[in-house]
Amino acid sequence: MLDTNATAIIELPVVEQPVEGVTAEPVRRTTGRALYVETYGCQMNLNDTEIVQGIMARQGYRLADSIEDADVVLLNTCAIRENAERKIHERLKHLRYWRKRKPDMVVGVLGCMAERLRKSLLGEQGLVDIVVGPDEYRRLPELVERAFVGEQGIAVKLSRVETYDDITPVRTRGISAWISIMRGCDKFCTFCVVPFTRGRERSRPLDSIVREAEQLWEQGFREATLLGQNVNSYRDPNGRGDFADLLAAVARAVPQMRIRYTTSHPYDMSDKLIETMAEYPNICPYIHLPVQSGSDRILQLMNRHYTVAQYLDRIAKIRATIPRCALSTDIIVGFCTETEDDHRQTLELMHTVRYDGAYMFKYSPRENTKAWKMGDDVPDEVKSRRLEEIIALQNRISWEINQTEIGKTFEVLVEGPSKRDPSQWQGRTDTNKVVIFPHIGTEASYVVGDTIRVRIESATSATLHGSVVA
Ligand code: 5AD
Ligand code: SF4
């Protein structure tokens, strides 16, 4: 999953309808109050922020474009690795300055850190007014209101049913939308805190997801990513099918829209799903398939439920069925007891698969997980060296693969000006590669959301560069 840092900046509409599940009373509007949400962590968290904004918009909140303008500041936190938590602590210390300058401002912590850190955040340190876990966002308006009159609030219960199915997320980013299709995870990989912070797996109804995709298309979105911690174990609660059925239904409902999904678990990557991807031209030929390690012994300790041979069988099936398919992965180095030989096997697997990209991490022990009790015996300098080795290898492979794209012409979905140089614009291939192209003269006859053809002229390990062709 991508680590992202985002802040939304728009005016929210004032919405009239009541908030289901929060209160039976009519909506009490806190007019004029402004909300500022900072998001840390994965796409699930970014989408949760959009849900939080949806819930607060119903109460009449608008979005502030800076902390200075905000009455309520919420940090949507990530607990997946130690450095993610460290970042939040630093940010909260910085927010002390604002709390002194603006004593009426309400500060809250949301998301995966909520349960674990509620006592320290609210208690001794007094850094925040409210702490709200991922399944309790419906209670936010009430807790914020109480915080304005000086009451601290905690809501960190996990739910077996909450999917926020009826909440319309307030999306603020371009032409790409996330659709949350399920929440939680039942896989219990031994290193991972998600099953504890986000609770049990539960899926949204298929019909409602399809309707959301149709609405997004009508609103001008051109790409939708179906989101879940482990999308392959999606099951429609009304018995209308599995993830492959959902993907097919969405692809049929919005045939012009690019459909992506993340994240997959190799154990549940069925032939049916791979064949469904091949069947619909609007399902993007790109799969993020976290492998975590190339050693069977480590995979077993991680409780991943597959061997390297089984993983490679899934890759072979993907390559045979969708020859253009791009692949990315997640890899952890330095998991408990990882030897040089285990590490060598990870490098070997990377040579074999030749991923287009990878997210690579040093193992970081998380409380509550099974691996926490196994110890953390690989020294940090060894983890760092192993991480450097896999990053160097991946950069080389990405660079080599991207060189083979030179001379090819791709359909590119236009996203807008490149961050580095606004005279250059950027977009993405359906295989999820970033393409940079000049936005000048006659070439500039396209707008954000158009699909254009770009011929690739050069490439780095991360980006393709080219010119627009007719
Ligand atoms: N330490 C390091 N990396 C982790 N991930 C999950 N938990 C940990 C941890 N404790 C990585 C996995 C996962 C990705 C989202 O984050 O690779 O796929
Ligand atoms: Fe964590 Fe494993 Fe679930 Fe992914 S599949 S969220 S790594 S427990």
Side-chain angles (χ1 to χ4, degrees), residues 1 80 184-195 201 229-230 263-265 290 292 302-304:
M1 266 178 282
I80 203 136
C185 183
D186 287 353
K187 279 281 180 269
F188 288 94
C189 301
T190 54
F191 53 81
C192 184
V193 79
V194 166
E201 211 166 81
Q229 236 76 43
N230 172 19
T263 291
S264 295
H265 191 294
Q292 313 296 1
M302 287 177 163
N303 193 33
R304 291 290 290 179

Side-chain angles (χ1 to χ4, degrees), residues 205-208 234-242 245-246 249 272:
L206 181 144
D207 290 346
S208 141
Y234 172 87
R235 288 247 147 233
D236 175 39
N238 305 317
R240 300 228 170 89
D242 59 14
D245 299 315
L246 170 71
K272 178 180 168 190

Side-chain angles (χ1 to χ4, degrees), residues 165-273:
D165 187 44
D166 58 309
I167 303 287
T168 307
V170 171
R171 299 181 165 94
T172 54
R173 330 175 107 227
I175 44 152
S176 259
W178 294 295
I179 304 179
S180 162
I181 64 161
M182 62 190 301
R183 296 179 72 84
C185 183
D186 287 353
K187 279 281 180 269
F188 288 94
C189 301
T190 54
F191 53 81
C192 184
V193 79
V194 166
F196 306 97
T197 60
R198 288 188 166 268
R200 299 286 57 75
E201 211 166 81
R202 61 223 107 112
S203 299
R204 269 179 71 186
L206 181 144
D207 290 346
S208 141
I209 296 167
V210 169
R211 234 179 0 260
E212 188 169 349
E214 287 167 340
Q215 284 163 1
L216 288 168
W217 174 259
E218 278 155 29
Q219 287 163 15
F221 288 93
R222 292 296 169 257
E223 184 174 80
T225 304
L226 307 185
L227 273 187
Q229 236 76 43
N230 172 19
V231 290
N232 312 70
S233 44
Y234 172 87
R235 288 247 147 233
D236 175 39
N238 305 317
R240 300 228 170 89
D242 59 14
F243 181 60
D245 299 315
L246 170 71
L247 200 56
V250 173
R252 273 197 301 271
V254 280
Q256 305 296 317
M257 194 158 185
R258 279 188 177 181
I259 310 301
R260 303 186 183 281
Y261 65 88
T262 200
T263 291
S264 295
H265 191 294
Y267 179 79
D268 299 316
M269 190 83 210
S270 67
D271 283 0
K272 178 180 168 190
L273 172 58

Side-chain angles (χ1 to χ4, degrees), residues 1 80-81 191-192 290 292 330 332 361-364 366:
M1 266 178 282
I80 203 136
R81 282 174 294 277
F191 53 81
C192 184
Q292 313 296 1
D330 291 343
I332 297 175
F361 313 103
K362 283 198 252 184
Y363 170 59
S364 140
R366 306 279 68 205

Side-chain angles (χ1 to χ4, degrees), residues 326-365:
L327 286 165
S328 63
T329 198
D330 291 343
I331 298 174
I332 297 175
V333 296
F335 187 67
C336 332
T337 75
E338 189 190 65
T339 62
E340 285 306 320
D341 192 53
D342 295 317
H343 172 58
R344 187 192 51 73
Q345 292 180 51
T346 298
L347 291 163
E348 200 175 297
L349 177 87
M350 293 169 74
H351 276 295
T352 307
V353 177
R354 291 181 65 79
Y355 295 103
D356 294 78
Y359 302 94
M360 295 162 279
F361 313 103
K362 283 198 252 184
Y363 170 59
S364 140

Side-chain angles (χ1 to χ4, degrees), residues 3 32 52 86 90 104-106 111 138 146 181 211 257 262 289-290 301 314 428 456:
D3 275 324
V52 164
R86 202 175 319 122
E90 276 160 24
D104 292 338
M105 186 171 87
V106 169
R138 288 178 197 272
R146 290 206 194 142
I181 64 161
R211 234 179 0 260
M257 194 158 185
T262 200
L289 199 61
L301 279 179
R314 295 297 76 202
R428 244 166 243 268
I456 305 307

Side-chain angles (χ1 to χ4, degrees), residues 24 30 54 67 77 110 140 144 179 181 197 209 260 271 315 318 400 422 431:
T30 40
I67 293 181
T77 64
L110 315 179
L140 260 173
V144 168
I179 304 179
I181 64 161
T197 60
I209 296 167
R260 303 186 183 281
D271 283 0
I315 299 288
I318 294 166
E400 286 168 2
T431 50

